[in-house]
Amino acid sequence: LYTSGSTGLPKGVMFKHSNTLVTALWERRFYGLGPGSNVTAYASFGFDANVFDTYATIISGAALHIISDEIRLDLPRLRRYFNENGITHATMTTQVGRQFAQMGGFESLKFLNVAGEKLTPLTPPEGFSLFNLYGPTEGSILASGFLVDRRYRDIPIGRPIDNVKLYVVDPQGRLLPPGASGELWITGLHVTGGYLNRPEKTAEAYVVNPFCHDRGYERAYRTGDIVRFMEDGNLQFIGRRDAQVKVRGFRVELTEVEEVIRRFEGIKDATVAAFDDPSGGKFIGAYVVSDGQVDVGALENFIRSEKPPYMVPAVTMQIESIPLNQNQKVNKKALPHPQRKAENIVPPETDTQRRICSIVAEVLGHDCFGIDTNLFEAGLSSIGILKLNVLLGTDFDVSVKIDDIKSNETVRKLETLLLLSLESVSYELQVDYPLTQTQMGIFVECSSAPDSISYNIPVMFVLGQSVEPDRLISAVKSAINAHPYAKTTLFADADGNIRARRNDDAPVEVSVKEMEHIPDGGQLVHPFTLLDSPLYRASVILTPEGNCLFLDFHHIISDGTSEAVLLADIDRAYSGEELAPEAFSGFEAALEEEKARISNRYLKAKDYYTGVFSGCETECLPPKSPEKDMSAAAGRLTLRLCVPADAVREFCDANSLTMNAFFKAVFGFTLSRFTARDETVFTTIYNGRSDSRLSTAFT
């Protein structure tokens, strides 16, 4: 049997009689083929699926129905033929079979198999069983199968059939655990003899099986398909090893896009392909079939509501039918060449637009966009939003919120936003200020454990002998004076409300301590008194081993970013630089939040999240039992896996993830397995710096 080679030169796969026999025997047993069965020979004689149709039927005493070319793609006539001839078993290529299965109206059909391409999600038909089969020609056509018994987000290709063992391996040929993606190797009686007169290709694809030495399993066929074993033992097909598609740096599974398109009202058939972009990389082209005119704009909005912007096809073409090759697979070469929409790339017209374009280009890594281009479609990611938020706020010296960028997705809209924001709100100095909701949460937590140091943020630096203590003390004082929120004290007003008192004129206290040795943290870190006391400590420690700078701030007035800002300013002040007082601090941030909490925007957000969490189970962890030794119980429940930090960073970089998103996803998934729920609710911490003015503030 000849397969179409990627180079254009077909490869002749050498079959043995035993290869065909084991497939036919399994098929006869599994589908219960016998004299009363009517089986279609749908595939052409030169296609490997014809072997599947023909030989199992012959050895079972069943009737074989040769489907003529006249009705093969005329699905209504084909259904009529099925009903008139009592067809019970049929196998079709995925693209055609999926459509056929969804027609309904079958009177005798018991089993319909689809194979050859990835099956996009669908609701299983009624009245007969639909099987998603997988197998290359080199593996005697069939290696695994899966009954589509419900709608799956990603339909598996099932478990290995009789006389087949399947392995998922890494690029070095090592076995991978369940859940890990790798290349699929097929071993067993189904592995064919190799390629006719192609010894070099045979050596590449057919290798010694290192995992099993049983008779008949000595050789393995490397499929080039990327799969993974799921928890239930079924295989999930991910894609071809040599056909990974990246669009604007993001990995895209084309069948995901196709599945969404097929759900759009009026779409009868669809396929998706990737094409080289003249500007570099790839773009997605979609081809749709419909009885009426497809509203491409509405289709794109529908896809955008389901998938990220980079998965929206750059070109959508409506055609009469999806071209198929002689084996009834999608003939990608016969698809009309996609004509990209002439992008209305309008160059910047004003100085402000040019400044914005320069910043956006730095974030995106390219300048293939105009002032009216949707920046998310141009490649702006969630990480990019954070960077753009800071750069725009810093460059224009205005407040830019992350939501502002999401709702002003073009350079032209951003210009309008920035010009309106240039008139920034100013606040009169007040004697006391409110606390933010985050601060109130910390206050309540600390009040329940007043002796705890959990919310201390201490840092200590061992400095060289050349560092001048007096000069360092002066630099610390200058830096703290430039960030007056560091000198905040909390108090309870007459109504019992916790407020923040501003102490801009209070002197900065930096103690000097002489010690015989460099101290450890336990000697220096002590609980803070929350009310009516300073919430920071600063010390210069002199020892014969070296001088040290020790700083400790309570988390209610500081975080890691705050300390980084302060340390940078200490360094600048020590170098002799004059520090300007902070213009927007935690005081103003608290006033902004207080105002925001009574705004329509906040109320809408509150309603949205109330809807998101309605019906969610929050009590998901087992209650603690005082009678049991919880430390011992925890030991039995704990599984520690050591993963190199560099490997996690590389994974995050390769998939455009932040470390924060990665570990939250891991925790959420683990919690869902622990609680046996698909949805889990857990609390995470957010630094509250969505306003660009807070990106370099002490708060």
Side-chain angles (χ1 to χ4, degrees):
L1 284 172
Y2 282 85
T3 66
S4 57
S6 58
T7 62
L9 181 64
K11 294 174 292 188
V13 180
M14 297 185 290
F15 271 73
K16 305 171 187 176
H17 287 259
S18 60
N19 295 139
T20 302
L21 180 61
V22 290
T23 300
L25 289 173
W26 175 85
E27 186 181 353
R28 181 178 67 178
R29 179 189 66 78
F30 186 82
Y31 293 106
L33 291 173
S37 304
N38 288 285
V39 185
T40 61
Y42 182 85
S44 63
F45 184 74
F47 186 32
D48 61 1
N50 185 269
V51 174
F52 186 83
D53 293 337
T54 303
Y55 296 103
T57 307
I58 290 175
I59 68 171
S60 304
L64 186 67
H65 295 253
I66 311 296
I67 303 300
S68 69
D69 289 341
E70 294 178 1
I71 66 171
R72 189 174 294 174
L73 297 178
D74 188 339
L75 299 188
R77 288 181 63 189
L78 185 63
R79 179 178 56 187
R80 187 162 63 249
Y81 180 92
F82 272 43
N83 291 337
E84 291 174 354
N85 291 275
I87 299 299
T88 56
H89 298 70
T91 300
M92 305 173 74
T93 51
T94 305
Q95 189 78 11
V96 178
R98 187 184 188 280
Q99 283 185 266
F100 195 56
Q102 294 184 301
M103 291 178 63
F106 297 98
E107 298 172 2
S108 57
L109 188 62
K110 296 180 180 178
F111 299 98
L112 176 62
N113 304 308
V114 296
E117 298 170 286
K118 184 164 183 176
L119 178 60
T120 54
L122 80 165
T123 301
E126 296 182 359
F128 62 91
S129 298
L130 176 67
F131 281 89
N132 185 33
L133 304 184
Y134 166 85
T137 306
E138 293 85 345
S140 300
I141 306 154
L142 185 64
S144 67
F146 183 79
L147 173 64
V148 184
D149 56 347
R150 59 180 175 85
R151 188 178 184 92
Y152 292 84
R153 289 183 60 186
D154 194 317
I155 300 174
I157 57 174
R159 301 168 184 264
I161 65 169
D162 298 349
N163 302 302
V164 171
K165 292 184 180 181
L166 303 178
Y167 303 99
V168 180
V169 303
D170 67 11
Q172 287 72 43
R174 298 172 299 195
L175 278 178
L176 290 170
S181 301
E183 183 182 9
L184 178 64
W185 286 14
I186 298 175
T187 72
L189 303 181
H190 286 247
V191 176
T192 53
Y195 300 119
L196 180 65
N197 299 326
R198 301 286 293 276
E200 73 292 341
K201 288 293 181 184
T202 299
E204 288 178 12
Y206 295 80
V207 297
V208 174
N209 178 12
F211 311 117
C212 178
H213 303 293
D214 294 346
R215 185 180 176 185
Y217 294 85
E218 299 88 352
R219 298 165 70 244
Y221 170 66
R222 301 179 57 189
T223 66
D225 291 325
I226 305 301
V227 301
R228 71 181 183 95
F229 274 112
M230 300 189 296
E231 288 184 354
D232 60 4
N234 284 298
L235 278 170
Q236 178 188 20
F237 183 87
I238 296 173
R240 285 290 299 169
R241 177 185 60 196
D242 52 2
Q244 187 183 76
V245 177
K246 273 200 170 185
V247 177
R248 296 202 299 267
F250 297 94
R251 287 189 180 92
V252 174
E253 176 56 64
L254 295 179
T255 53
E256 284 191 50
V257 183
E258 181 183 322
E259 187 271 334
V260 177
I261 293 174
R262 286 179 178 276
R263 286 195 274 116
F264 187 69
E265 187 175 359
I267 299 295
K268 293 176 57 181
D269 201 0
T271 192
V272 179
F275 300 91
D276 290 328
D277 194 323
S279 62
K282 299 277 187 181
F283 71 88
I284 300 174
Y287 300 84
V288 298
V289 178
S290 177
D291 291 333
Q293 184 65 35
V294 176
D295 185 337
V296 174
L299 173 59
E300 290 178 347
N301 288 334
F302 178 73
I303 299 171
R304 197 174 286 111
S305 70
E306 300 275 335
K307 298 294 179 183
Y310 57 83
M311 295 182 76
V312 177
V315 182
T316 299
M317 300 181 70
Q318 185 170 350
I319 55 180
E320 291 187 4
S321 62
I322 302 297
L324 304 176
N325 59 25
Q326 62 181 3
N327 296 329
Q328 271 64 65
K329 292 184 180 181
V330 176
N331 187 353
K332 301 285 186 180
K333 295 180 180 179
L335 291 168
H337 189 73
Q339 301 296 321
R340 293 201 71 172
K341 295 173 289 187
E343 288 276 3
N344 186 24
I345 298 183
V346 181
E349 300 164 349
T350 66
D351 288 339
T352 301
Q353 290 175 3
R354 277 186 279 274
R355 287 170 64 188
I356 298 171
C357 283
S358 177
I359 293 170
V360 171
E362 179 182 343
V363 173
L364 296 182
H366 67 81
D367 57 2
C368 300
F369 59 90
I371 59 175
D372 295 315
T373 302
N374 186 311
L375 298 181
F376 293 98
E377 295 180 5
L380 185 63
S381 64
S382 57
I383 297 176
I385 292 176
L386 300 176
K387 185 176 180 181
L388 185 59
N389 166 263
V390 173
L391 291 178
L392 288 175
T394 302
D395 191 273
F396 287 89
D397 193 26
V398 296
S399 169
V400 181
K401 295 181 174 63
I402 291 173
D403 283 348
D404 292 334
I405 296 176
K406 291 180 179 179
S407 56
N408 293 274
E409 71 283 359
T410 69
V411 170
R412 192 187 296 275
K413 290 181 179 180
L414 286 174
E415 178 190 35
T416 302
L417 170 71
L418 292 171
L419 291 177
L420 290 174
S421 301
L422 287 175
E423 292 291 331
S424 57
V425 178
S426 59
Y427 291 95
E428 297 289 335
L429 290 180
Q430 302 183 24
V431 176
D432 59 83
Y433 292 80
L435 268 62
T436 65
Q437 293 298 289
T438 300
Q439 288 176 304
M440 285 304 303
I442 294 174
F443 183 86
V444 171
E445 185 86 4
C446 292
S447 297
S448 65
D451 296 328
S452 172
I453 58 172
S454 297
Y455 283 93
N456 288 49
I457 309 180
V459 292
M460 188 172 75
F461 297 92
V462 179
L463 309 170
Q465 295 288 356
S466 60
V467 174
E468 302 173 22
D470 292 341
R471 189 173 168 189
L472 177 60
I473 292 169
S474 177
V476 171
K477 291 181 176 180
S478 296
I480 292 178
N481 280 324
H483 300 283
Y485 203 73
K487 296 190 282 185
T488 301
T489 54
L490 307 182
F491 72 99
D493 66 11
D495 297 323
N497 299 311
I498 306 302
R499 305 282 291 179
R501 180 178 288 117
R502 192 160 190 150
N503 302 300
D504 292 23
D505 298 328
V508 177
E509 298 292 337
V510 181
S511 64
V512 179
K513 300 177 181 179
E514 294 187 13
M515 305 181 75
E516 293 184 2
H517 301 285
I518 295 174
D520 59 30
Q523 296 174 258
L524 301 173
V525 181
H526 307 289
F528 283 99
T529 301
L530 279 181
L531 295 179
D532 302 310
S533 295
L535 296 170
Y536 77 91
R537 298 187 184 102
S539 302
V540 172
I541 302 168
L542 309 177
T543 78
E545 301 170 5
N547 298 329
C548 306
L549 171 63
F550 173 76
L551 299 172
D552 192 7
F553 290 86
H554 196 285
H555 190 34
I556 204 164
I557 64 161
S558 173
D559 61 10
T561 301
S562 300
E563 294 209 356
V565 169
L566 189 73
L567 289 168
D569 280 353
I570 291 173
D571 186 61
R572 290 166 54 204
Y574 187 88
S575 300
E577 189 175 333
E578 192 75 27
L579 301 180
E582 191 168 53
F584 190 84
S585 68
F587 297 116
E588 289 73 34
L591 292 174
E592 291 249 333
E593 183 186 290
E594 185 179 57
K595 183 173 63 175
R597 285 204 303 271
I598 59 174
S599 67
N600 288 330
R601 185 176 182 177
Y602 177 88
L603 295 175
K604 287 181 180 179
K606 184 178 179 181
D607 289 342
Y608 169 77
Y609 283 106
T610 299
V612 168
F613 294 115
S614 63
C616 289
E617 176 61 58
T618 57
E619 297 296 330
C620 59
L621 295 179
K624 293 182 179 180
S625 173
E627 291 84 16
K628 294 182 180 179
D629 180 0
M630 295 307 294
S631 61
R636 289 196 298 272
L637 293 172
T638 300
L639 174 63
R640 290 183 174 87
L641 297 175
C642 295
V643 180
D646 289 343
V648 176
R649 292 191 191 94
E650 288 175 8
F651 178 85
C652 291
D653 290 343
N655 292 278
S656 300
L657 291 170
T658 62
M659 298 279 276
N660 180 33
F662 172 80
F663 282 109
K664 280 199 290 190
V666 170
F667 178 75
F669 178 78
T670 304
L671 190 60
S672 73
R673 300 303 90 190
F674 182 74
T675 60
R677 293 188 176 94
D678 291 335
E679 291 184 345
T680 57
V681 180
F682 60 92
T683 301
T684 187
I685 296 172
Y686 167 56
N687 68 8
R689 295 177 186 267
S690 59
D691 190 319
S692 60
R693 292 172 295 181
L694 294 175
S695 61
T696 57
F698 187 98
T699 179

